[in-house]
Amino acid sequence: MKHAADTRDAQAMTDNALQNAFLFRQPILNRQQEIAGYQLSFRSGEELADAGDYGLRGAGAPLCAAYSELGMQGALGNSLAFIGIDTDFLQQEAIELLPPKAVVLELLLDGVPEAKILTRCRKLVERGYSLALTSYQGIDDRSRPLLPLVAVIEIDLRHDADDGRLEDLAGSLRHLPVRLLAQGVESREQMERCRGLGFALFQGRHFARAEIVSGRRLSAAHATLIRLCNLVGRDVDTALIEDAFKHEPALTLNLLRIVNSVGRLGNRSTQPVTSLRHAITLLGRRQLQRWLSLLLLAPGDETADPTRSPLLQVAALRGRMMELLIEAQKPRDHKLADLAFITGILSMMPSALGLPIEEILEQIAVEREVDLALREHEGRLGRILALLECFDNDDAACCDRLLATIPGSFDRQTLNTGLSAALHWLNGNGD
């Protein structure tokens, strides 16, 4: 009976949370810079700026219930969900509704853990759950009894970025069977330093940022892709597109990889694509333009699998969310929905190419609505793009301000359910 009561209470909290807070996610990368998981959190624009991470992420009960309600296990695919659990919710049986192999329970604990907390942690580990110790500050009375129980230890570079301090913290754990997670990673240099110290997981948006340098020369591969985007956008003869690809065999291979992996990124077609003409016929010009734009965000390594690029996944997720939000407002305007997707993925190109968006748009032919959205955040597409940029930055107050400027029935729940639907699509589990 208690399980049923916990479930009912959690459902009520879920409904309230989805309407009154935003479901944010922060990517967590592994040592290969692939997405290994997402840290999930609920946050509202009314929360005080000094509430701290515990105040923002300790909404364990509604977050766990929302995980089930939104089908987040299927939405995240093979990626783990990191969920903050405070001492109150740690004791509730509703935690055990979560799938043990799909989540990591982050222990949001202040001070020395009580005996009942340690007992509960042992039982959860026995049932197959992975625990993470947050805000690690060295081996002390708080961490010592938990170290044998946790699988992940989190160290926040925003507080412990000093080289000597970071080395001491990592060194104190060197002989333990745990994975170290570096939080607040802001640059490749920080990530490489942490990797050298034995960190296995990295959280931060360094992969979605780049140094923007006006006048920087594009690589030959990027220049070719931009020419192809323009060719497809102008509906030239298929033979001209094929000829352009024949001069770039590595680029041809990468394009075929993307087309053959559309099932992974949302298209359910499993028919193998063996030629460029077949790909164009199967996808159609507008869909081909989408994948060409996504390929601009793929890793520079020609042998890499572009579908595993975090930047590509962030761009594809933003494009799909923009498309879904437009479809919710204007369900019959298929052209605007297509433009919304293109706007979303092109918005990540400055990070991929290291160029200002103005210089990129001088080289790519886009429709006026897309140009205005990317340059000025103007028009319907521009407002939605600005909203999703705030959403990606976990800025609840900014999201609330922009929601008020968008016509229609947009609210916090619209974004939360849109995120779930877009993640399902990204992992091949949705339309």
Side-chain angles (χ1 to χ4, degrees):
M1 292 295 292
K2 188 176 187 300
H3 235 98
D6 283 348
T7 302
R8 287 194 299 271
D9 291 344
Q11 180 62 57
M13 284 187 285
T14 300
D15 294 340
N16 182 63
L18 288 176
Q19 294 170 6
N20 297 306
F22 297 102
L23 176 60
F24 290 129
R25 86 283 177 207
Q26 280 205 16
I28 295 173
L29 308 186
N30 60 21
R31 290 177 67 87
Q32 290 72 44
Q33 296 189 67
E34 301 165 348
I35 291 180
Y38 291 90
Q39 185 185 72
L40 303 181
S41 62
F42 267 129
R43 195 173 305 184
S44 69
E46 292 81 12
E47 287 163 328
L48 295 176
D50 61 356
D53 284 349
Y54 285 13
L56 298 175
R57 295 203 290 113
L63 189 54
C64 289
Y67 178 93
S68 300
E69 180 74 13
L70 296 175
M72 293 301 288
Q73 182 178 5
L76 295 179
N78 295 325
S79 300
L80 293 169
F82 286 65
I83 298 176
I85 304 295
D86 59 21
T87 53
D88 291 335
F89 188 59
L90 184 66
Q91 299 294 342
Q92 296 188 27
E93 293 183 11
I95 286 181
E96 296 171 43
L97 298 174
L98 295 170
K101 301 303 180 184
V103 300
V104 175
L105 305 179
E106 299 176 286
L107 302 175
L108 306 180
L109 307 178
D110 284 320
V112 179
E114 299 177 1
K116 64 179 181 179
I117 296 296
L118 296 175
T119 299
R120 177 59 168 157
C121 287
R122 290 190 192 98
K123 289 182 179 179
L124 289 171
V125 171
E126 290 171 0
R127 290 171 182 162
Y129 288 94
S130 295
L131 306 181
L133 176 60
T134 62
S135 303
Y136 178 71
Q137 293 293 309
I139 298 177
D140 53 20
D141 290 342
R142 171 181 177 265
S143 65
R144 189 176 291 108
L146 290 167
L147 290 178
L149 301 173
V150 298
V152 177
I153 293 179
E154 301 176 1
I155 299 176
D156 196 333
L157 270 61
R158 291 167 294 187
H159 305 141
D160 297 295
D162 176 77
D163 285 352
R165 171 66 172 164
L166 192 59
E167 186 172 353
D168 288 343
L169 290 175
S172 67
L173 303 166
R174 188 165 289 128
H175 302 297
L176 295 178
V178 296
R179 291 191 294 169
L180 303 187
L181 191 161
Q183 296 179 309
V185 180
E186 296 296 328
S187 67
R188 178 175 291 276
E189 290 74 22
Q190 280 190 329
M191 190 197 71
E192 292 299 338
R193 178 157 56 92
C194 290
R195 195 193 328 234
L197 292 173
F199 283 78
L201 299 169
F202 310 88
Q203 183 179 345
R205 299 191 181 278
H206 68 281
F207 64 86
R209 296 193 183 109
E211 181 185 3
I212 306 300
V213 179
S214 181
R216 174 181 284 167
R217 293 177 62 85
L218 291 173
S219 69
H222 285 139
T224 299
L225 274 170
I226 287 174
R227 288 198 302 273
L228 284 166
C229 283
N230 288 332
L231 285 173
V232 174
R234 291 197 296 268
D235 289 330
V236 301
D237 188 83
T238 301
L240 291 176
I241 300 174
E242 287 182 299
D243 184 66
F245 270 99
K246 288 176 182 177
H247 291 86
E248 297 288 339
L251 192 55
T252 298
L253 176 61
N254 272 344
L255 177 61
L256 291 175
R257 280 179 179 172
I258 284 185
V259 176
N260 274 311
S261 66
V262 291
R264 176 178 180 172
L265 289 177
N267 188 318
R268 293 189 176 278
S269 173
T270 57
Q271 183 180 3
V273 179
T274 57
S275 70
L276 291 170
R277 183 172 292 275
H278 185 197
I280 294 168
T281 302
L282 181 65
L283 292 180
R285 294 298 182 90
R286 191 172 294 278
Q287 188 77 334
L288 178 60
Q289 189 178 37
R290 290 185 175 198
W291 297 117
L292 286 169
S293 300
L294 282 172
L295 192 56
L296 278 164
L297 306 172
D301 180 1
E302 293 176 349
T303 65
D305 178 359
T307 63
R308 301 184 73 83
S309 160
L311 184 60
L312 186 149
Q313 292 194 31
V314 170
L317 188 66
R318 181 181 290 179
R320 181 55 175 161
M321 282 193 71
M322 285 198 65
E323 184 178 33
L324 289 170
L325 294 176
I326 285 294
E327 287 176 348
Q329 283 194 324
K330 292 181 169 292
R332 293 182 177 84
D333 196 336
H334 303 301
K335 180 181 179 181
L336 188 60
D338 285 332
L339 293 180
F341 184 92
I342 291 293
T343 301
I345 59 177
L346 291 183
S347 70
M348 297 300 297
M349 284 180 59
S351 295
L353 304 182
L355 284 170
I357 191 64
E358 292 78 11
E359 293 186 21
I360 294 171
L361 292 176
E362 289 173 3
Q363 303 175 67
I364 298 181
V366 297
E367 303 215 19
R368 177 171 172 77
E369 297 98 319
V370 177
D371 189 279
L372 284 174
L374 293 170
R375 290 180 189 267
E376 308 291 343
H377 289 93
E378 293 292 334
R380 188 183 297 269
L381 295 180
R383 288 191 293 271
I384 294 178
L385 173 60
L387 172 63
L388 292 187
E389 288 174 346
C390 291
F391 192 64
D392 285 345
N393 289 324
D394 296 1
D395 191 337
C398 177
C399 288
D400 278 333
R401 287 196 303 271
L402 290 172
L403 280 172
T405 71
I406 298 175
S409 56
F410 276 22
D411 56 19
R412 294 168 173 177
Q413 188 164 4
T414 303
L415 281 182
N416 294 335
T417 55
L419 171 62
S420 175
L423 283 167
H424 272 92
W425 170 86
L426 187 68
N427 287 289
N429 297 317
D431 295 328

